[in-house]
Amino acid sequence: MALVEVDKGFLRSPRGAVKIARALVALVTLICFAASHSHEAYTALAAMEVAITVLLFLLYLLQLDKRLSWFFWPLADIFNSVIAALFLLIVCLFAVIIKTNTGTLVGGVFGLILLALCIVDAVLLFQKINFGRSTTANFRLPFW
């Protein structure tokens, strides 16, 4: 029996595609900010986003979320996406507005694309979580 199973279906799923796109766009953002010697906050945010996204991607790809079932990983992932989107909005708008050089401007634009991917990721995850709700079309609360 293998210690870790690879979920090949996750790679082809919309959530997997968004995670891969997030990691790649965050890496491009990091490279732009680092190459242009932008403010350290820009580079740090992009580096953290790359690391966290890759770790969450590996968590789902290797199905570690099922082995570590004591923690509700999708909700933590939604929380990460929302917080990352807020930080990216602030930092990347500053990068685009101030645009100290071309690399900072390009990194800010890629950061705003990353912001959109964070929102898409959060929406996809939120749709997947049912929080104990019934999935029937005629769902009614018992006290109504």
Side-chain angles (χ1 to χ4, degrees), residues 46-77:
M48 284 182 6
E49 187 58 31
V50 170
I52 292 171
T53 303
V54 167
L55 288 175
L56 286 170
F57 175 76
L58 289 174
L59 178 88
Y60 294 127
L61 180 68
L62 301 176
Q63 297 180 355
L64 295 174
D65 58 324
K66 293 181 176 101
R67 295 189 71 156
L68 303 170
S69 60
W70 48 268
F71 194 74
F72 194 50
W73 290 104
L75 190 59
D77 198 0

Side-chain angles (χ1 to χ4, degrees), residues 29 31 42 48 69 82 85 108:
T29 305
I31 291 169
Y42 303 162
M48 284 182 6
S69 60
V82 170

